[in-house]
Amino acid sequence: MPPLPAPAELHATLVREGHVFLRRSDMLQQLAPHGPPGDWTAFAASWNDMPLDAYMADGGRYRRRRYGVFSAYADGSIVREAHQPHWQSIDYNPLNGDVARWFEPIPDAVGDSLQTVLRFCHATFSALAPDVAHWHVEAHQFRIEAAPDLAGQPTPEGVHRDGVDYVLVLLIRRDNIASGTTTIHTPDGSLLGSFTLTEPGDATLLDDARVFHGVTPVVPVDAREPAYRDVLVLTFRRTRPL
């Protein structure tokens, strides 16, 4: 994919294709107008002490996560909401759906980096849906761990939709892992494309109503060392029109 330096090109690609893959350099260009980059080292370090996801219906102990909810308004403001459970219909998540899942909250100290990414997504998705006055935004910190005897599953529910309007997946770090390839599909399962988030800052944006996505399992490169994949996932769901 060629570089996408201008927001208009990014918007046009999302409208045309239903998804966009941004390399780190392009993503940094997109983020720059939306605030200071913040302390990426501290931001990435906030993934290091997350608790295990205790809701995995497959019994897996390979996923750690935190969660937060925000409201984003037409005037550009973004407000953090009271902590609440994450809920998905079983129609969208056949593994863990129809369960109110209480995850540890994302700490406020995560700070400027998260706010900049939120503002970028708000501006991007609002340009595609200018009638939306209020977005319900969910933020997920994920760490997927891999072991020699157990691959990590970034999408244990398989190829899926999230049941929202738009999704951002931003790579924070990958250490000592192989694979983790993202695949994009039509609703009937046909493959539209595939790519691998490899550098911190690589990202993909998805029109969740139009495309399905999945990520292949991750495995250690060196069985003697820790192996993991850290991502930030933001989902935007419209709540009411102007």
Side-chain angles (χ1 to χ4, degrees), residues 55-62 95-96 153 156:
Y55 292 94
M56 297 301 297
D58 64 357
R61 296 178 61 81
Y62 50 79
L95 179 65
N96 295 315
Q153 303 283 343

Side-chain angles (χ1 to χ4, degrees), residues 7-8 21 32 45 49 51 91 94 106 109 117 120 140 161 175 180 192 194 221 226:
F21 169 41
D49 59 351
D91 295 332
I106 294 174
V117 179
F120 157 71
H140 307 261
R161 288 175 52 213
D175 194 43
L192 289 173
S194 64
V221 174

Side-chain angles (χ1 to χ4, degrees), residues 54-138:
Y55 292 94
M56 297 301 297
D58 64 357
R61 296 178 61 81
Y62 50 79
R63 182 159 78 179
R64 298 179 182 272
R65 72 191 294 181
R66 289 199 188 100
Y67 174 72
V69 176
F70 299 81
S71 285
Y73 297 98
D75 65 1
S77 61
I78 300 174
V79 178
R80 183 153 189 178
E81 300 293 348
H83 195 54
Q84 56 196 264
H86 175 52
W87 190 91
Q88 286 178 293
S89 165
I90 200 168
D91 295 332
Y92 294 108
N93 190 332
L95 179 65
N96 295 315
D98 287 355
V99 175
R101 291 178 284 167
W102 286 93
F103 299 112
E104 182 177 296
I106 294 174
D108 291 333
V110 167
D112 289 344
S113 295
L114 176 57
Q115 289 298 318
T116 297
V117 179
L118 283 166
R119 287 192 289 267
F120 157 71
C121 288
H122 187 197
T124 300
F125 300 145
S126 292
L128 302 178
D131 63 323
V132 177
H134 176 202
W135 295 100
H136 176 81
V137 183
E138 296 179 80

Side-chain angles (χ1 to χ4, degrees), residues 2-68:
L4 295 167
E9 295 175 60
L10 174 64
H11 302 162
T13 303
L14 262 175
V15 170
R16 184 176 65 251
E17 306 291 343
H19 65 99
V20 174
F21 169 41
L22 293 172
R23 285 294 186 194
R24 169 187 169 88
S25 58
D26 295 324
M27 186 60 179
L28 292 178
Q29 279 186 283
Q30 298 289 342
L31 290 175
H34 299 285
D39 185 342
W40 182 272
T41 300
F43 183 49
S46 69
W47 267 255
N48 288 339
D49 59 351
M50 295 195 298
L52 281 169
D53 182 339
Y55 292 94
M56 297 301 297
D58 64 357
R61 296 178 61 81
Y62 50 79
R63 182 159 78 179
R64 298 179 182 272
R65 72 191 294 181
R66 289 199 188 100
Y67 174 72

